[in-house]
Amino acid sequence: MDFMKKEMIEKLYNSFQRESPYATLSALYQILEKTGHSYSTSGEKALLEPVLAYLQANLTDPELDISALPGLSQVSPAYLRRIFRKRHGVSPTGYVVRERMRLAQQLLREEPLTVAQVAAAVGYRDALYFSRLFKKQLGLSPSEYRVQCARELF
């Protein structure tokens, strides 16, 4: 148990040191989920499980259909958005963007891919749209982010 706590704390600290505040919050949410802390009921969690499974399985699919999510849990779109936001802090669309940006950050740091290839790998057909969204979310363009990460390594 102590090893898991240490690992989670190191992950949070590293995301704070090397990534954006957005990535740090995402790491914090993961820690809260792993430790069992939640602000939603178990019934709400059960409703969200098929939604999260669908989102994770289709995260990088450019054809990801957010409008199909309420049908997975048999709830209204408004109720799904409300419980999803309560549990994850963002709407389902915001969650997809957050997770795609987190994946894009990882690819930009670790892989020698072009921005267009990273955009395609995380589910965006339009590299220019991806670049604008990345800059809006993280405050740096994908190229600037890659340069900053390279500088931090040396």
Side-chain angles (χ1 to χ4, degrees), residues 23 26 37 48-49 56 95 114 138 143 149:
S26 180
H37 290 85
L48 291 177
E49 285 175 1
Q56 288 302 319
Y95 179 85
T114 66
L138 299 165
S143 299
C149 289

Side-chain angles (χ1 to χ4, degrees), residues 104-119:
Q105 286 177 290
Q106 179 182 353
L107 291 173
L108 288 165
R109 280 191 314 271
E110 300 172 3
E111 302 295 332
L113 301 173
T114 66
V115 172
Q117 289 171 322
V118 171

Side-chain angles (χ1 to χ4, degrees), residues 42-60:
S42 60
E44 290 171 348
K45 183 178 178 182
L47 287 174
L48 291 177
E49 285 175 1
V51 171
L52 288 171
Y54 174 83
L55 290 176
Q56 288 302 319
N58 296 287
L59 186 64
T60 59

Side-chain angles (χ1 to χ4, degrees), residues 19-31 33 52 55-56 59 64 66 84-106 122 124 130 133-134 137-138:
E19 300 176 22
S20 70
Y22 192 68
T24 302
L25 285 173
S26 180
L28 184 57
Y29 280 120
Q30 288 178 353
I31 289 169
E33 287 176 352
L52 288 171
L55 290 176
Q56 288 302 319
L59 186 64
L64 177 66
I66 297 292
F84 198 96
R85 185 178 302 273
K86 180 180 174 185
R87 176 133 174 94
H88 296 283
V90 292
S91 68
T93 302
Y95 179 85
V96 168
V97 170
R98 179 177 73 196
E99 295 303 307
R100 284 179 172 179
M101 291 300 120
R102 189 159 39 111
L103 180 57
Q105 286 177 290
Q106 179 182 353
V122 298
Y124 294 102
F130 164 75
L133 188 58
F134 190 95
Q137 296 293 317
L138 299 165

